[in-house]
Amino acid sequence: MDTTASLEDRDATGATVRLEPEQGEKVSKSLSLRSKGIITFILMVAYALLIGVSTESQRVSLLKLVDELEAAHRFEAQLLEINTSMARTLFAVNMSFSEDTLTPSTIRSMIEIEASLSLLEAIQARYPGILILSGKLHALVRDLAQQPSLGTLSVTRATLNELILELDGITKNAHARRLKLLDQYRENYDRITLSSLAMLVIGLVLIGAATAIFFSRLTWDIRKLESHANDIVKGNRDTPLPVTRNDELGTLMHAVNRMQLDLRERERHIERTRLEQFHREKMVAVGSLAAQLAHEINNPIAAITGVASAISQVQRTQQCPNHGATCQPGLILEQAKRISAITRQIADFTRPQAQQPELLNLNELVRNTCAFVSYDRRFRRITLSTELDGEMPAVRAIGDHLTQVLMNLLINAADALEEMPADHPALIIAKTVATEEEAIIEISDNAGGIDAETLAKVFDEYFTTKPAGKGTGLGLALSRELIHDRGGSLTLESVPGIGTTARIRLPLRVAAAAA
């Protein structure tokens, strides 16, 4: 059985329908487990690179802040050196100013001023106030060098005080800036540490959650697949496994579903073959028994017929007054011939038939089948009549299959009529109709009918409304398949409270082409 056939089933009306795959059937366009693993690895590497890039960007800003902090520290140290020098210079000027005359100490103070001015050259370009005071101090030093006087020295001391005050303000600002940079460094360091740690933790949580969800779902799907496989082993052939994955496991699920369909089709084929073989063996056994009974019955029937013929002949020649009144040898002859006809009919009907399609007289086949089943006890109170189309052409089919289907439909109708009240008139009509394209056989009954819900399930395998031991639920399903094999159809129409009609349609064009 090929894969295409295994994905097909038949609906309640007998039409072949395609079993559409569940979502994810296009496995070739989906991601495999290997691809998912590679993509996960790539995402992890990309996330690690993202963390690295973010950390590097923050590290660069932190290094820049460190450079600014080092520059502020150096600048503050430079200011400290200048302030120290200015303090020594002011001390020297004060010592010179305390003397009434200019002494060598005045010269030393001038040297200190020159040294301080050389230190101020490094920062005076950044501070206009320092530049102005430095220029003024340079001029005073020149005046002291040319014409030393206490007045000039006093102005010099005042200028030094102004310069020191200016330097104190600059030093305080530099110290405040260094502290601010230090705070920024600590904040940036803490932020980089916390953000890197947070990104690492978030990444680990996301990867862990995704991994847990993936493997949990994978484990759940594997368990579902295992449970479904066990159900298939135990005989489940109806409910396929819902496929929710698009990877190799999804492909395996589809394979298990196809295997389930293949097993169902194979078992259906085996059951059909078994039922056909059982039907043939049953008919052969009935035929063999009928032949033996006919042989055993024919001898006494022949004797009875001979005695009845002799009695009738004697009565006619001797003009017996009781002939045709109390003595009726003709009636004996008639019933003896009827017994012979019945045994011959049973033997002819149960004779093994060809298992290959052949041209059949459909009316005769329907008539013989109705006559055969009428001997069943279920037909004792049933009026079984036929309405056969006299223009019915020959139909190419397997006679044994049609006989089996007709017997099944007639017995189903008889079983339905058995459930009706005794005063209900039981009627079954077997009808044939020929059209230009098909031959139609209808089996109608006036039983209680079938409701819509039950009618939708009558062709399902193992579905039956009969009590246990009286039906298996395979008769109609097998009958539909036998008819479909010849390109025909078998449908049921029913009206609750009125009756049911089974309709067999056999194409005539196929028969004509085969003929």
Side-chain angles (χ1 to χ4, degrees), residues 443-450 455 492-495 498-502:
I443 305 296
S444 302
D445 63 69
N446 63 341
I450 307 173
L455 187 63
L492 283 184
E493 296 177 0
S494 185
V495 179
I498 296 179
T500 303
T501 298

Side-chain angles (χ1 to χ4, degrees), residues 385-443:
S385 61
T386 58
E387 297 179 5
L388 306 179
D389 188 347
E391 302 297 328
M392 176 66 66
V395 176
R396 181 170 290 275
I398 300 177
D400 189 56
H401 289 178
L402 282 180
T403 300
Q404 186 175 351
V405 172
L406 288 173
M407 289 180 62
N408 184 64
L409 295 176
L410 289 168
I411 291 174
N412 282 347
D415 288 338
L417 287 167
E418 269 191 329
E419 300 176 1
M420 301 303 294
D423 58 346
H424 180 78
L427 176 64
I428 297 177
I429 301 175
K431 182 180 179 180
T432 61
V433 179
T435 66
E436 293 183 358
E437 297 183 350
E438 59 187 4
I440 302 174
I441 305 175
E442 294 181 355
I443 305 296

